[in-house]
Amino acid sequence: MTEPRHIRNFSIVAHIDHGKSTLADRLIQMTGTVSDRDMKEQLLDAMDIERERGITIKANTVRLEYKARDGETYVLNLIDTPGHVDFAYEVSRSMRAVEGSLLVVDASQGVEAQTLANVYQAIDADHEIVPVLNKVDLPAAEPARVREQIEDVIGIDASEAVEISAKTGVGVPEVLEAIVTRLPAPAGDRDAPLKAMLVDSYYDAYLGVVVLTRVMDGVVKKGDRIRMMKTGGLYQIDRLGVFRPAMVDAKDLGPGEIGFLTASIKQVRDTAVGDTITHEKRQCDKALPGFKPSVPVVFCGLFPVDSAEFEDLRDAIEKLQLNDASFSAEMETSAALGFGFRCGFLGLLHLEVIRDRLEREYNIDLITTAPSVIYQVHLRDGEMIELHNPADMPDPATVERIEEPRIKATILVPDEYLGDVLKLCQDRRGVQLDLTYAGSRAMVVYDLPLNEVVFDFYDRLKSVTRGYASFDYQMIGYQEDQLVKMSILVNDEPVDALSTMVHRARAEARGRAMCEKLKQLIPQHMFKIPIQAAIGGRIIARETISALRKDVTAKCYGGDVTRKKKLLEKQKAGKKKMRQFGKVDIPQEAFISALKMDG
Amino acid sequence: MGAEPIEGGFGLYVHWPFCAAKCPYCDFNSHVRAAVDQRRWTRALLAEMSWHAARTPGRRLDSIFFGGGTPSLMDPATVAAVIDAASGHWNLADAAEITLEANPTSVEAGRFAGYARAGVNRLSLGVQALNDPDLNALGRLHSATEARAAFDMARTIFPRISFDLIYARQGQSLAAWEAELDAALGMAADHLSLYQLTIEAGTRFGELHARGRLRGLPDDDLAADMYALTQQRCAAAGLAGYEVSNHARPGAEGRHNLVYWRYGEYVGIGPGAHGRYVRDGQRLASATALHPETWLAATETRGEGLSADDPIPPAEQAEEYLMMALRLAEGASLARHRRLGGAPLSALGDLQAEGLLSRDADRIAVTDRGRPVLNAVLRALLA
Ligand SMILES: Nc1nc2c(ncn2[C@@H]2O[C@H](COP(=O)(O)OP(=O)(O)OP(=O)(O)O)[C@@H](O)[C@H]2O)c(=O)[nH]1
Ligand SMILES: C[S@@+](CC[C@H](N)C(=O)[O-])C[C@H]1O[C@@H](n2cnc3c(N)ncnc32)[C@H](O)[C@@H]1O
Ligand code: SF4
Ligand SMILES: [Mg+2]
């Protein structure tokens, strides 16, 4: 157990890609926590998907031991956090477990949308903030300008910001000193009853559920019987220790310490993040305030391409949920796609990550249906239903009004692209709330329907600004609008998985675009296939895929049957990636691609 | 020795991989060489033939086909040596069909008589088009006049002649093809091979097409109309389509190609030649090295230039049988399909109901509606 005055706890926060994980690498290395031989880039990004995409998805904790210039040895607990907006929840939760934040800002990029969002969260959490200007090794780095920007835009003192290169290690020793001298030591009473925060939990194939915890008061030891104050669960601690970053057993954990424990907990669901852990016998009197739960905001259907794989999909989802409690899944049946799951995610990247993992780790080909948000449908009889799936839309005659979720979006963009960004937001039914300048960059704040954002807004934003804009959002509540359900009929039959909610004024354009897209996506068949968009019984757009009239190999290659066979095999493999609906084969990617808007 | 007839027939395919120039649409195994040592090639072809002959003893040989490339660049002596060797190895059937593919330039026409003396009794002429601008666009070395002269000459020399045309060419209208087809039918051959131009990856046309630089190709609708017109016109002239792209007076069908389509057996020699024959109860699929010099070197050292020689699993034999036999108007036998190892065809009923396939007791065949979309029918049938 370490004395609190020799402990410093902090999170590393930044906009995506500003170098959090690389800074964590250097801190780990310079404190000798991991030998040079075992070191690799972004050491903490251990998941395949994290390494492939070069981003952090899951927050990670490491305990470092640092001999400071004052001659004393300190325990530093760092939490590396993800930068992407979808995982903002991970960041806010991590911040609750520590007293300070290193705010990393890429000195060649400057302040971005998530820089701002993170600062506000850190201030909310009463954090001491140490600004760190990273990537000063880059020729494009302008630390002086970025310092000014931090003061102007964020309004915090940047005179003592540390200039570093996380890549080369320059300046990192100063970061270590700043952690010790500028961040507060944790408070806490070791003689008080145990009060520890359940920060996170995950499932480990060998250990079962592992709980990440921060002790506020008291001491916890192996063998202790503990109580979860919110869920009421009682457990006996099997194992307890710290992350270096591998799990290392410890005798006990005292106030200010961060570590893990296992206690024969069966499912991640049996734990509630933000819960307070105390002793069974000697309980603390007041629980910690807890976290606001994370709520899925984007929903889509996941169906196996091969309907025989439904049970495999169910298993895979259950296993993955053990590790990621932030995505939800409920069984769903679709006339078009059969059995599957309606899943909820924190955002589109989260959706992609989960889908990727299901496909790769469990080897299931999936059809993903159009993402949707939760609509609040108010019926004439006074009832309100939450609509997760446009296919479930009740008869419009019974509906009084529909409300949709709206967000406050903050976009930072260089001046020259401002016009394009305003147009994009306007096209997506946005209402401008604010427009200010910070040097040559504009900061625009828009009130936008979430529905218009979840799908391809971020891609469009990146493309119209050539990647120079950054974006962050928060939910702000529900608002009524003229929303209707648009159905798509393929060969005169409605395909429920292609239904979407659209704004009445934009329905026709949307319907036309979808029919045109589907015409490209669905291969020709032996018969002609009408594709129609409809609102209620009214057809608002129509396209026709003409019948296949010619598909035959003309020549004969002197008895070379193999060549023909290969062609046929290729075609058959292509057909496997399709789902039959009525008499029509629809390729799996059509369900998402049909919605992508090019303009 | 008793001659043993083989189900579907038994043939010998000889591949001659050389051409005077490479046509921009062609993806056959053809190569341009300044000079070819014909004696050396003759020895190698004979060596590979005897290698296969040792594995297929005592059979009746129903046909020989010299394909290419351009076999009309072979010395008549080379052709003679191959035919003589073949009749030594197998029992050449009395009515054996011996076909040679010829390009209709005047130079080549000069060798026709020599081929006939060597034993060739059927000539297949690569006429391709009946007007000069189109022949030019196809990169052909002959003119329309030359082609007609070669054809007229061939008639006086060979008992049976066929010629090839490529249609659905750049800028070709339905009316233009109709006129050209009528002219072709007027030449009174008893066999015609009429191929729609296929744009193949890896050819010059393929490259142009990928870059959007090959203009005036007919769209699928026009191509389908051209195909339908071709079927009608030929049938009306007494040359019914007996295969997807082949038309003949009854009895004048190409017997060698029928061996492929009836899933008979054949030995293939020369670079890039394929074979299918049964040995020790196993049906084997053989293929040889594509590159001429690679094949030659291999054959000179090992006696064969094989790149593959593998047993075909029964289910695949059944699949291959359908793929080939359904190209024919006579269609396929369900009993044979089953005997080869085929599983029941579950899509049969649907395809019949859709009017794409017809069934008469044991035989199934694509209908006039099904033939132009045969690949789609096969996809459904073999899914
Ligand atoms: N030149 C230079 N590149 C750096 C420096 N620090 C980080 N990078 C690079 O910046 C990219 C992003 O670095 P990460 O450490 O993964 O960034 P991150 O903030 O953890 O990213 P997320 O976790 O996805 O939000 C990587 O390619 C790093 O190599 C630096 O000091 N100089
Ligand atoms: C083995 S090839 C060539 C024989 C001979 N060398 C010739 O060119 O006349 C047989 C026939 O296939 C046809 N053919 C070749 N390539 C083709 C293509 N890309 N599309 C359609 N038909 C083709 C031609 O009609 C050709 O006569
Ligand atoms: S079409 Fe005939 S002549 Fe032209 S390259 Fe091909 S094989 Fe040779
Ligand atoms: Mg990271």
Side-chain angles (χ1 to χ4, degrees), chain A residues 2-35:
Chain A
T2 311
E3 281 301 313
R5 69 183 182 87
H6 281 140
I7 298 176
R8 298 292 183 273
N9 297 321
F10 61 98
S11 54
I12 308 180
V13 299
H15 189 73
I16 192 162
D17 272 352
H18 280 201
K20 297 176 287 296
S21 302
T22 308
L23 174 57
D25 285 350
R26 292 295 86 72
L27 296 174
I28 290 169
Q29 214 174 12
M30 286 188 187
T31 53
T33 308
V34 169
S35 70

Side-chain angles (χ1 to χ4, degrees), chain A residues 559-565, chain B residues 266 274 276 320 323-324:
Chain A
D560 179 0
V561 192
T562 318
R563 186 187 178 104
K564 279 206 67 194
K565 213 160 52 179
Chain B
Y266 45 99
H274 286 251
R276 289 277 185 286
E320 291 190 348
M323 272 168 31
M324 298 310 264

